[in-house]
Amino acid sequence: MTLASLKNATKAFFNGLTTPCAKIGIPSAMKVKPMTQDIQHEIEHFMNGLKKRNPQEEEFHQAVGEVVHSVMPFYLDHADYRKAQLLERLTEPDRIVIFRVSWEDDQGNIRANRAWRVQFNHALGPYKGGLRFHPSVSQSVLKFLGFEQIFKNSLTGLPMGGAKGGSNFNPKGKSDREVMRFCHSLMTELHRHIGEDIDVPAGDIGVGSREISYLFGQYTRLENRWTGVLTGKGCAFGGSAVRTEATGYGCIYFCEHMLHQHDESLEGKRIAISGSGNVALYAAEKALDKGAKVLTLSDSDGFVHIKDGLTKEQWKSVRELKEERRGRISEFAEQHAGVEFHRDAKPWGVKCDVALPCATQNELQEEDAQSLVEQGVMAVCEGANMPCTHDAVERFREKGVLFAPGKAANAGGVAVSGLEQSQNALRISWSHEKVDSQLQEIMEGIHERCVEQGQRNGRVDYVDGANIAGFKKVADALLAYGVV
Ligand code: NDP
Ligand code: 2IT
């Protein structure tokens, strides 16, 4: 393939992507420029500058490093991208709003937390991305999440920019009233910066339907109008069917495509899952539907090993424990024979075919990857955002383990958020079946884009595929806009 035909093929592919509602055209496999010393040098040079401009933001460096590593060969091939300084521009958020959230606890003490909204890039649509409440939240964490969100949202094919927000508030152990007062206070500031065509937040760690309801109630009160300014709302007041399940279900749909691509299926596979929150629970449910055996779940106290595999009845009980009673995963082991709890341990030592890290960033490290490889793991799909460290990912890649990065594998959540925005704009509600079938179609499309852009010597590198496919669309939009 010549360089010119390569460029034409790329153009055709992305013309397909930018045509609303068009079935995405998939060009023939592209030949990839090998990584040379010059390219390595450019990556180092770029990353040194980024680190200097953003000191002590390690998570942000990590997320950018991964994208830059994938796209640099492609970027250097496009003089127009370089001239427009697209990488420099794309790694600088449009803006970050930082504010204090004052609130009163149940004992009458006045408390203050810090909150952020990182509006990273809105080339493809209104800013979109979740809010996280966790004591570990920092500007670096939210910048990494906002940056990832740009490419994830691009991959869905829906018109959404990238953003993330949250607070170092710890909802654990707080009463409903305390959480309500915190959410109302946070929205009292945040409402000035968001809107259905400006920025549409949603949930993430520590932010589920309870928090979204409090936030939405306060927005509606302050603005005196009902509008789809948040997603993940209750279905009775503008929420979408399948939004609760979307990230976990989407992860399994993606995993299934990845396995089918390599003549495998989920039927009978042993699955290790970390986390027991929104993503983990619904990934486990869909995995059971597909005939897989779910062997583990976890929380920050440790993991449970379900030796015979989670049953549907046990799944209902763990959902009720975690979603309704906000209990600990150790209680699940106490209540069920044949379930062992391992305190302060991670599930990656359990022999499995597929691993789904669904808790938090950097939870799966090199030694965990090594242990999974030794146990014969075949595929790893990131349900969480950046749960695998750089070294862990490299270990999977070098050992030929199928590896799906979060921006592809967990895009189902934001995709159904996008569908919730559409339903709100149209003032209608679609059925469970309709939304689920659109989710399946979107996950299939993302998989196709990864396969197309990630062909490497007869195998698919899903990291490169997702990064290049996500990047190209945003880069072309920025080029078209001129110097903005
Ligand atoms: P939840 O708050 O519902 O659940 C988080 C789970 O991860 C809990 O089991 C929690 O345990 C565990 N966890 C969180 N932080 C840590 C930590 N520092 N160490 C160990 N365990 C931890 O969040 P979600 O399920 O919504 O999110 C999980 C991941 O998926 C995050 O990376 C999020 O960004 C990502 N994601 C979420 C989407 C969504 O739609 N919700 C969409 C796409 C990605 P504990 O209760 O003990 O804290
Ligand atoms: O990381 C994510 O994609 C999310 N937390 C979901 C964001 C959204 O807007 O639904």
Side-chain angles (χ1 to χ4, degrees), residues 117 127-132 145 148-149 152-153 160 163-164 200-205 231-232 243 247 279 383-385 406 410-418 421:
R117 185 69 181 167
Y127 300 109
K128 183 84 197 85
L131 292 171
R132 177 178 290 191
L145 289 162
E148 288 278 291
Q149 200 81 44
K152 184 194 302 192
N153 295 1
M160 300 183 290
K164 199 81 184 191
V200 182
D204 193 79
I205 291 177
T231 59
R243 177 61 189 89
T247 312
V279 180
N385 286 307
N410 72 36
V414 75
V416 174
S417 278
Q421 289 177 270

Side-chain angles (χ1 to χ4, degrees), residues 252 266 271 273 282-294:
I252 295 296
L266 272 168
I271 313 229
I273 300 181
Y282 292 96
E285 187 190 30
K286 189 52 76 181
L288 295 182
D289 287 349
K290 299 283 179 187
K293 201 168 171 181
V294 175

Side-chain angles (χ1 to χ4, degrees), residues 35 39 42-44 46-47 50 62-73 75 87 91 147 467:
M35 182 65 74
I39 298 175
E42 290 287 344
I43 293 172
E44 266 168 46
F46 179 82
M47 288 306 299
L50 182 106
Q62 186 183 338
V64 173
E66 185 216 280
V67 171
V68 167
H69 202 272
S70 291
V71 305
M72 190 60 90
Y75 186 70
L87 272 182
T91 47
F147 181 72
N467 285 330

Side-chain angles (χ1 to χ4, degrees), residues 132 134 136 145 152 164 172 203-207 243 247 275-280 298-301 322 328 358-361 383-385 410 413-414:
R132 177 178 290 191
H134 194 272
S136 65
L145 289 162
K152 184 194 302 192
K164 199 81 184 191
K172 250 184 233 152
D204 193 79
I205 291 177
V207 178
R243 177 61 189 89
T247 312
S276 50
N278 174 268
V279 180
S298 73
D299 64 19
S300 52
D301 293 341
K322 296 302 283 189
R328 308 304 301 156
C358 296
T360 194
Q361 64 272 4
N385 286 307
N410 72 36
V414 75

Side-chain angles (χ1 to χ4, degrees), residues 86-343:
L86 287 186
L87 272 182
E88 283 76 3
R89 284 159 62 190
L90 259 172
T91 47
E92 206 58 56
D94 289 350
R95 69 190 63 76
I96 302 178
V97 185
I98 310 179
F99 52 101
R100 182 189 67 250
V101 182
S102 307
W103 58 284
E104 192 176 343
D105 69 20
D106 286 345
Q107 285 70 48
N109 302 308
I110 305 303
R111 312 278 289 260
N113 284 91
R114 186 177 297 173
W116 292 259
R117 185 69 181 167
V118 180
Q119 296 181 330
F120 223 116
N121 186 286
H122 62 173
L124 298 185
Y127 300 109
K128 183 84 197 85
L131 292 171
R132 177 178 290 191
F133 294 170
H134 194 272
S136 65
V137 164
S138 65
Q139 186 160 303
S140 170
V141 166
L142 296 177
K143 278 173 74 177
F144 115 65
L145 289 162
F147 181 72
E148 288 278 291
Q149 200 81 44
I150 304 170
F151 308 105
K152 184 194 302 192
N153 295 1
S154 164
L155 280 169
T156 66
L158 300 175
M160 300 183 290
K164 199 81 184 191
S167 172
N168 55 8
F169 173 74
N170 184 0
K172 250 184 233 152
K174 304 286 189 302
S175 70
D176 287 350
R177 283 299 161 123
E178 287 176 323
V179 172
M180 179 193 79
R181 287 193 288 273
F182 177 81
C183 288
H184 284 177
S185 181
L186 182 136
M187 186 52 88
T188 302
E189 174 60 35
L190 187 65
H191 85 107
R192 299 179 228 283
H193 310 287
I194 62 176
E196 69 277 24
D197 293 322
I198 301 170
D199 183 356
V200 182
D204 193 79
I205 291 177
V207 178
S209 66
R210 174 183 63 171
E211 291 74 18
I212 293 292
S213 304
Y214 292 146
L215 291 163
F216 189 64
Q218 180 72 346
Y219 183 91
T220 309
R221 170 162 69 169
L222 292 167
E223 294 276 329
N224 191 29
R225 69 195 178 102
W226 195 105
T227 182
V229 71
L230 295 170
T231 59
K233 301 182 290 295
C235 287
F237 48 96
S240 175
V242 197
R243 177 61 189 89
T244 304
E245 300 88 344
T247 312
Y249 281 15
C251 184
I252 295 296
Y253 295 148
F254 191 94
C255 186
E256 204 177 28
H257 284 299
M258 189 161 86
L259 290 174
H260 285 169
Q261 177 78 19
H262 296 83
D263 301 322
E264 283 286 353
S265 81
L266 272 168
E267 175 83 42
K269 293 288 181 303
R270 295 160 302 179
I271 313 229
I273 300 181
S274 65
S276 50
N278 174 268
V279 180
L281 282 174
Y282 292 96
E285 187 190 30
K286 189 52 76 181
L288 295 182
D289 287 349
K290 299 283 179 187
K293 201 168 171 181
V294 175
L295 295 179
T296 67
L297 289 167
S298 73
D299 64 19
S300 52
D301 293 341
F303 82 93
V304 286
H305 185 186
I306 311 133
K307 294 211 157 135
D308 296 329
L310 189 73
T311 63
K312 292 221 165 161
E313 277 313 303
Q314 286 175 327
W315 181 84
K316 284 183 195 153
S317 135
V318 76
R319 190 208 64 79
E320 196 263 339
L321 169 74
K322 296 302 283 189
E323 244 179 38
E324 286 167 34
R325 288 195 281 126
R326 299 179 193 280
R328 308 304 301 156
I329 202 70
S330 54
E331 296 170 48
F332 176 65
E334 285 158 19
Q335 291 156 3
H336 297 270
V339 180
E340 276 175 10
F341 176 63
H342 298 263
R343 188 167 292 282

